[in-house]
Structures are given as C-alpha cells and as structure tokens.
Amino acid sequence: MARLPRVHVERGFLPPEEHAALLAETLEAQALYQSSTISRYEEDMTRVNGQVDPSVRHSHVRKLPKAFREIFEAKLVSLQSMIEATTGVEFPAERWFEIESVHSGDGALFTAHIDTNRGPQSSRRVISAVYYYSRTPAAFSGGQLKLYSLDRSGSITVDPEDNTMVLFPSMFLHEVLPVSVPSGEWADGRFSVNCWVHRTD
C-alpha cells in the first residue's frame, strides 16, 4: 500500500486579531513582493539558487516582518507535541525556522517538488508548513495543496482554508494546483505563509 504523508491540519491557527492584522499588513505590502524563484541541481549536485521560471513556480514572495515571524515561530513551538504526533516527525533539538510570505494570483502554481535539500548541506528541512489566509469570502478558486505518496501512486488534496495551517514531512512530493482569480485583482488572490523547520547537522 502506498505510504501517504501524515498531515496535520490546524484550523483557526491565529487568533482573530492576529489574522486580521496579518491580512491588513499584507494588503498594504504589494510593492514588496517579488517573483518567486526556484533552485535547481546540476549533475554534480551543485545547487543553483534564485532562478525565475513561471512554468514551474508562478507566484510572488517577500520576507515576512519580524513581528509576524515571531508569532508563527512561537505558535509552531506551542503545538510541537501535537505536530510531532500527527506527522510522525520530531522537531530537531538544534533547529531554525525559515519563513516567507507568498501571493498567488490568477494562474499561480507550483509544480510537483520536494522541499528537502539534496547533496551536502549543513541544514535540512524536515517539516513543511503552509498557512492560508485571504479576504472573505474568498474571491479565488483552486490553489489546493496536493501531496503524493512516496512511490507517487497515491495522493491527497488539501483545500486552502482561510486561517488554517497545514503541516507535513518535507520529504514528500507535493504541488500547488493552479489558482484562478476571476477579477484579476491582486488583493483577491490566495495568500500564504510558508514555514520550514530545519535540522542543523
């Protein structure tokens, strides 16, 4: 039987006031978002960072302000035991958090990929998390997270529910299905905060 990823879904991840503050800050920060990039590996396993390829990843990204990064880190740590029990992955004793904010507008997508690094690295992603938020009612459709079994014969799909955090082991293949925003308005898109728990060797 195909081994599907063990996924933890935390609805109501942020209190209403923090959720509202994040959305308000995001809607004012459009100019800070830049085209998302991808990493590729050469035949000798050399990692090439910072490539823009909309056919693979089409979205816009920015750094999340420090105050919100701290909120996400603290919340994840507070849920550590539950996350470990659900996903089957322990938080490393020596760890750090990687966090980014993403805007997915009309036509946005991210084709199938794995979050873990390949080749010699001093840090590796072990837990992946994505927090969804948007205007309500949502003015977009699509943008689901599709996760595949290790042998890629089975899959599960998670809807991008507002104020919901989804966590899963970073070693599983996954993709973001295409997003449709009929209005074409930037503020009507799908917003997310991507978080990764890194293990430091």
Side-chain angles (χ1 to χ4, degrees):
M1 182 179 293
R3 181 188 170 190
L4 291 168
R6 293 169 58 181
V7 178
H8 180 82
V9 178
E10 188 73 19
R11 295 179 174 85
F13 182 76
L14 293 181
E17 61 275 12
E18 290 180 353
H19 170 272
L22 175 62
L23 180 59
E25 191 277 337
T26 298
L27 294 177
E28 295 177 355
Q30 179 178 357
L32 301 178
Y33 284 80
Q34 299 180 341
S35 296
S36 298
T37 62
I38 58 173
S39 299
R40 294 188 185 276
Y41 289 87
E42 304 293 347
E43 291 184 3
D44 62 358
M45 298 308 294
T46 300
R47 185 177 181 180
V48 180
N49 294 321
Q51 294 185 330
V52 176
D53 187 345
S55 69
V56 175
R57 186 185 188 190
H58 179 35
S59 60
H60 292 84
V61 64
R62 66 164 177 144
K63 290 184 177 180
L64 198 64
K66 180 180 179 182
F68 288 110
R69 292 200 308 270
E70 291 175 347
I71 287 172
F72 276 86
E73 290 180 14
K75 183 68 172 180
L76 288 171
V77 170
S78 74
L79 296 172
Q80 177 176 337
S81 296
M82 188 182 302
I83 294 168
E84 290 176 337
T86 307
T87 64
V89 180
E90 293 185 359
F91 275 49
E94 298 294 329
R95 62 176 181 256
W96 64 279
F97 295 91
E98 178 186 358
I99 299 176
E100 66 180 12
S101 178
V102 180
H103 170 260
S104 298
D106 193 52
L109 54 75
F110 197 167
T111 58
H113 62 284
I114 296 173
D115 287 344
T116 50
N117 299 327
R118 293 156 50 185
Q121 301 287 339
S122 60
S123 175
R124 296 182 186 276
R125 295 166 173 170
V126 294
I127 298 175
S128 297
V130 56
Y131 172 77
Y132 300 107
Y133 64 111
S134 64
R135 285 176 161 180
T136 54
F140 69 90
S141 60
Q144 298 92 340
L145 175 66
K146 188 172 184 178
L147 302 110
Y148 294 88
S149 60
L150 288 176
D151 64 2
R152 306 188 185 186
S153 66
S155 64
I156 56 176
T157 302
V158 183
D159 290 329
E161 297 180 37
D162 182 47
N163 198 18
T164 296
M165 176 71 89
V166 179
L167 302 101
F168 57 95
S170 298
M171 66 180 181
F172 282 88
L173 185 76
H174 58 284
E175 65 178 313
V176 177
L177 299 181
V179 176
S180 174
V181 184
S183 72
E185 295 293 330
W186 187 87
D188 286 339
R190 191 203 75 163
F191 297 102
S192 60
V193 175
N194 293 337
C195 308
W196 294 276
V197 182
H198 280 252
R199 183 192 76 233
T200 56
D201 296 330

